[in-house]
Amino acid sequence: QVQLVESGGGSVQAGGSLRLSCAFSGFTYGDYYMGWFRQAPGKEREGVACIASDGTTKYASSVEGRFTISQDRAENTLYLQMSSLKPEDTALYYCAARRRSPYNSIWYCSRSSSDYVYWGQGTQVTVSS
């Protein structure tokens, strides 16, 4: 049974940093790609970053250079290091996972929420100005 549990959210002032964690179980990371998403009230869910089986990463232009997605395979944990936070980063943040299909290369990951099957419950990030 696949499980994803996020933690690390909180309140921070603009310019500050937070690190989100996503503890995962029930699958072997090498067979999956994973992503971080966020959803602010009244807005659609946005793909923030994703990481492929081989460690290749992709970022939304709004966070490139400020956020870093990474993984600790020994600890089965996905991270999102967020720096230079802005009030517009305020949202509920989710991690998600999807088994890589036989047609996907090991460097493939997606920032589209419709591509993901497994989701965590979310962790709130609030950035004040």
Side-chain angles (χ1 to χ4, degrees), residues 29 32-35 49-53 55-57 69-71 78 109:
Y29 182 80
Y32 283 67
Y33 55 84
M34 299 186 72
C50 68
I51 186 165
S53 300
T56 300
T57 58
I69 187 171
S70 63
Q71 55 177 317
L78 182 73
C109 70

Side-chain angles (χ1 to χ4, degrees), residues 35-57:
W36 283 100
F37 293 79
R38 66 185 181 187
Q39 190 165 20
K43 294 189 176 181
E44 292 188 355
R45 191 167 295 188
E46 175 190 17
V48 174
C50 68
I51 186 165
S53 300
D54 72 343
T56 300
T57 58

Side-chain angles (χ1 to χ4, degrees), residues 3 5 18 25 47 61 70-71 102 116-117:
Q3 288 190 320
V5 180
L18 280 175
S25 61
S61 57
S70 63
Q71 55 177 317
Y116 287 82
V117 175

Side-chain angles (χ1 to χ4, degrees), residues 98-129:
R98 166 74 186 260
R99 176 182 286 274
R100 182 167 49 85
S101 83
Y103 306 102
N104 294 143
S105 300
I106 59 171
W107 47 259
Y108 176 83
C109 70
S110 172
R111 288 194 296 108
S112 173
S113 59
S114 62
D115 285 343
Y116 287 82
V117 175
Y118 303 104
W119 292 86
Q121 82 289 348
T123 186
Q124 178 68 37
V125 172
T126 302
V127 184
S128 58
S129 57

Side-chain angles (χ1 to χ4, degrees), residues 3-42:
Q3 288 190 320
L4 305 169
V5 180
E6 303 97 334
S7 60
S11 297
V12 63
Q13 288 192 327
S17 299
L18 280 175
R19 188 177 77 162
L20 306 183
S21 300
C22 173
F24 59 86
S25 61
F27 64 93
T28 301
Y29 182 80
D31 296 330
Y32 283 67
Y33 55 84
M34 299 186 72
W36 283 100
F37 293 79
R38 66 185 181 187
Q39 190 165 20

